[in-house]
Amino acid sequence: MSKIILHIDLNQFFVRCEEIKNPSLIGKPVAVGGDGRRGIVSTCSYKAREYGIHSGMPMFQAKMLCKDLIITDVDFEYYELMSKEFIDYVKKYTYKIEQMSIDECFCDITEAYNKIGNGDILKFLKGFQIGLYKKTQLNCSIGVASTKFLAKMGSDIKKPNGITIIRKRDIEKIIFPLPVKDFFGIGKKTAPRLEKIGFSTIGELYYGLKNDDIRLKDYFESGKDTIISQLEGNSSNEIYSSYGDPKSIGQTRTLNYDTNDAAVIKKFLENMIDNVINDFLKLNMLCKTIQITYKDADCSKDFKTKTCSKSFSDYTNDKKQIRNAGLDLFTETYDHTTIRLIGFTIKSLKAKHDVAVQMTFENFEQHEKENKTQMIINDLNRKAKKKIFFRLSDLTDKHYDEN
């Protein structure tokens, strides 16, 4: 039997969080992000989108499009708190959760549905949506399929609060007529170029790649076979969950928009590092290695993933050391490629009592010397039948203690 994979996408998440804090914002044009000439729209309300405002747009342009635009600062701490509430709710159904960003995740509900679904997937998922709203006041759209790609495509089709089920036999009917710009992974720059050379829909792109259309030769490298596999319903359905994994702990997050702005990415990463470290410290463990993951935003290059790691000389749980090492690793490894996703992981975890103290050769010699000295002193005290012999350091410590 095929797996039941969901992609759950929280609708206008940052804005919804602000509405929960301040209900007077509901139904108004709202943009979350930095104000000023260098400010960027992180996300915006559906009302704001009616004016042509979108994520990644400079805030000064957004204000030109809508004079009544309400701008709120990003409150990452609150958003992370709400995101954890979201994931905690999903855990009621499954621990097979792969969180892709602060407001979206994949999950495998095959086991839960077989137990309590009663053969009605639509009713089951509507119950999920209602329960999530009651617990968190958050709304979500859900894509349902046997692969992650199709589930992701499904969650984008009906917003807000939509549920789209894509069975393998329905791919041509549901996915192929969609505009090529709606293909998950086709960049904003690539889509208009594809349209210009005659590929306006996803179906046209599929048949073009399948038949080695020469017009596509310059647009896709190793990504061709991946796209074909995705559109035939044969791509990955594996959920890479960090929950319950004792060997590592981390987060992988999709950026609010594709970017190669190092300052924007670093700020995003800093918040992620702090969250991962806080979760790591709750485990009461030590770590040896940290890792940063970058995912290229270019679909034509098969969304290439690069991982970079650094190991400490000794196991540690020092928050400052781990944080600084993470930021240094970013500075050393980020090559200004436009990316869509970044991750930070603390690896090689061990319980404190399992980590042996490694002696250097000098420490070993000193330890042996002190041990032999103590054995001689113990032997003398036994012969004297009282404790009258001490090492000088012990005697000095005893003197200070008494004064």
Side-chain angles (χ1 to χ4, degrees):
M1 185 181 126
S2 298
K3 291 183 180 180
I4 303 174
I5 305 298
L6 307 186
H7 181 265
I8 307 168
D9 190 359
L10 298 176
N11 302 144
Q12 55 172 26
F13 177 59
F14 289 3
V15 172
R16 182 58 194 149
C17 288
E18 295 299 330
E19 289 176 347
I20 292 169
K21 289 194 293 183
N22 181 6
S24 68
L25 297 175
I26 296 173
K28 295 180 180 178
V30 178
V32 177
D35 203 350
R37 293 293 298 182
R38 298 191 65 184
I40 298 291
V41 177
S42 288
T43 192
C44 58
S45 65
Y46 290 114
K47 187 66 177 178
R49 293 176 197 182
E50 293 176 7
Y51 293 86
I53 299 169
H54 58 78
S55 298
M57 174 181 283
M59 193 64 79
F60 77 90
Q61 289 185 8
K63 290 192 288 187
M64 291 171 62
L65 291 172
C66 177
K67 66 178 182 178
D68 296 322
L69 184 66
I70 301 169
I71 301 169
T72 65
D73 290 331
V74 177
D75 186 353
F76 273 118
E77 288 187 7
Y78 180 63
Y79 304 157
E80 283 288 350
L81 179 65
M82 294 300 290
S83 178
K84 287 182 178 180
E85 289 288 306
F86 160 55
I87 295 298
D88 284 345
Y89 179 78
V90 180
K91 286 178 183 176
K92 287 184 174 183
Y93 292 82
T94 179
Y95 275 84
K96 295 178 181 178
I97 304 167
E98 183 177 348
Q99 190 169 5
M100 299 304 295
S101 71
I102 194 170
D103 61 349
E104 62 176 323
C105 74
F106 290 106
C107 64
D108 182 343
I109 62 156
T110 310
E111 187 176 339
Y113 179 70
N114 287 339
K115 286 182 179 178
I116 59 175
N118 294 321
D120 190 338
I121 187 69
L122 194 59
K123 183 178 179 181
F124 180 83
L125 293 175
K126 283 181 178 177
F128 178 97
Q129 288 178 321
I130 292 168
L132 176 65
Y133 184 81
K134 285 181 178 178
K135 184 177 188 293
T136 65
Q137 296 186 59
L138 297 171
N139 299 306
C140 71
S141 294
I142 302 174
V144 191
S146 59
T147 71
K148 289 159 66 175
F149 169 79
L150 292 175
K152 169 64 179 172
M153 290 293 295
S155 69
D156 286 336
I157 290 175
K158 297 177 185 176
K159 288 187 175 181
N161 301 318
I163 298 173
T164 302
I165 302 169
I166 303 178
R167 297 175 178 85
K168 198 170 181 177
R169 64 177 182 268
D170 296 326
I171 294 173
E172 287 195 37
K173 181 176 68 176
I174 297 175
I175 301 296
F176 280 23
L178 296 175
V180 72
K181 66 181 178 62
D182 288 351
F183 186 100
F184 175 59
I186 295 287
K188 292 180 180 179
K189 293 181 180 179
T190 303
R193 294 173 185 167
L194 291 174
E195 291 170 355
K196 190 173 181 180
I197 61 173
F199 299 92
S200 300
T201 68
I202 292 175
E204 289 170 346
L205 176 64
Y206 169 77
Y207 288 114
L209 291 171
K210 191 78 171 173
N211 296 316
D212 295 318
D213 194 308
I214 195 169
R215 290 174 293 174
L216 294 171
K217 183 179 179 181
D218 296 330
Y219 289 89
F220 298 94
E221 297 175 6
S222 59
K224 171 189 168 183
D225 291 340
T226 297
I227 293 174
I228 291 173
S229 178
Q230 288 172 333
L231 291 174
E232 291 179 349
N234 298 322
S235 54
S236 174
N237 61 8
E238 293 300 318
I239 302 297
Y240 300 103
S241 176
S242 61
Y243 299 101
D245 180 4
K247 295 180 182 179
S248 66
I249 184 168
Q251 290 183 357
T252 304
R253 297 287 187 267
T254 304
L255 298 166
N256 297 321
Y257 47 89
D258 298 346
T259 183
N260 64 352
D261 188 324
V264 170
I265 298 169
K266 185 175 181 180
K267 185 175 180 181
F268 192 88
L269 179 64
E270 282 179 338
N271 184 68
M272 184 186 299
I273 289 174
D274 288 339
N275 288 327
V276 173
I277 291 175
N278 288 337
D279 288 341
F280 162 67
L281 293 177
K282 293 174 185 176
L283 299 176
N284 198 30
M285 300 181 82
L286 302 175
C287 73
K288 190 72 182 291
T289 304
I290 59 169
Q291 176 178 289
I292 294 178
T293 301
Y294 305 95
K295 179 171 279 191
D296 196 297
D298 193 345
C299 165
S300 67
K301 296 180 180 177
D302 205 13
F303 302 119
K304 289 181 179 177
T305 298
K306 180 176 80 170
T307 59
C308 308
S309 61
K310 174 184 287 188
S311 293
F312 303 108
S313 57
D314 296 304
Y315 279 89
T316 183
N317 63 353
D318 186 291
K319 182 174 183 176
K320 186 175 180 181
Q321 181 186 13
I322 298 170
R323 189 180 197 276
N324 289 342
L327 296 176
D328 288 345
L329 183 60
F330 172 75
T331 301
E332 294 163 8
T333 60
Y334 179 57
D335 60 4
H336 299 282
T337 299
T338 299
I339 63 172
R340 69 166 44 232
L341 175 149
I342 191 167
F344 179 76
T345 305
I346 297 175
K347 304 178 68 179
S348 303
L349 305 189
K350 280 191 176 182
K352 291 180 179 179
H353 61 266
D354 287 337
V355 178
V357 177
Q358 301 296 318
M359 292 185 181
T360 64
F361 181 71
E362 291 77 17
N363 287 340
F364 177 75
E365 283 192 319
Q366 180 65 23
H367 175 76
E368 286 290 285
K369 183 178 178 181
E370 290 177 356
N371 196 44
K372 288 177 181 178
T373 302
Q374 188 63 51
M375 287 175 67
I376 293 169
I377 290 171
N378 290 345
D379 188 50
L380 291 171
N381 283 331
R382 278 195 298 271
K383 289 178 180 178
K385 296 184 178 180
K386 62 172 68 176
K387 193 171 184 180
I388 59 175
F389 296 98
F390 300 90
R391 287 180 302 184
L392 180 59
S393 60
D394 291 341
L395 188 61
T396 303
D397 291 341
K398 188 173 187 294
H399 171 77
Y400 285 135
D401 288 343
E402 289 176 348
N403 287 278

